[in-house]
Amino acid sequence: MERTDADVDGFLAGAAGARGDDLRALDRIISEEFAGLERVLWEGAMWGGTEQRIVGYGGITQPRPRGASVEWFLVGVAEQQRHLSVYVNAAEEGEYLVKRRAGELGAVKVGSAALTFASLADLDVPAFRALLRRARELMPDAR
């Protein structure tokens, strides 16, 4: 994936329907919690090979298990075919935050560093905000 200079607001405005509304609501929540950090549209093939467009918040340098560190985002949001995905690239005590807090986040599916849900109504927003605040605390060098 590559960071782009594309207009994030224009990208979000183009998201249609209820999922588009949820995507914009997520953007407002994350932007409030990450005030002062960058907000960038990333595009390209994700590690699984699927083409993605992800709004990334808070630039970080993330070490990789194999190979060189990569420039990435602290939190990213993407609209998928059937759901929304939120990627949280912060860990505590060797475990990604979304895994550590899976039981608090509502009716969401949790992967290693990602959570997915069909609509914003499935997400416990106060718990999500707390997760975002903790991610920012754990990554003080995010820009």
Side-chain angles (χ1 to χ4, degrees), residues 58-100:
I60 62 170
T61 302
Q62 185 174 29
R64 302 301 307 155
R66 294 175 290 279
S69 296
V70 295
E71 293 304 308
W72 204 224
F73 46 80
L74 179 52
V75 171
V77 175
E79 180 181 17
Q80 310 296 346
Q81 217 169 9
R82 293 183 201 94
H83 58 268
L84 295 167
S85 294
V86 178
Y87 306 95
V88 181
N89 295 303
E92 187 170 39
E93 297 179 15
E95 188 174 31
Y96 280 109
L97 281 182
V98 293
K99 280 288 236 200
R100 291 181 62 87

Side-chain angles (χ1 to χ4, degrees), residues 102-125:
E104 305 168 14
L105 296 170
V108 300
K109 181 180 174 189
V110 175
S112 295
L115 55 117
T116 61
F117 44 93
S119 87
L120 190 58
D122 296 329
L123 180 67
D124 184 310
V125 173

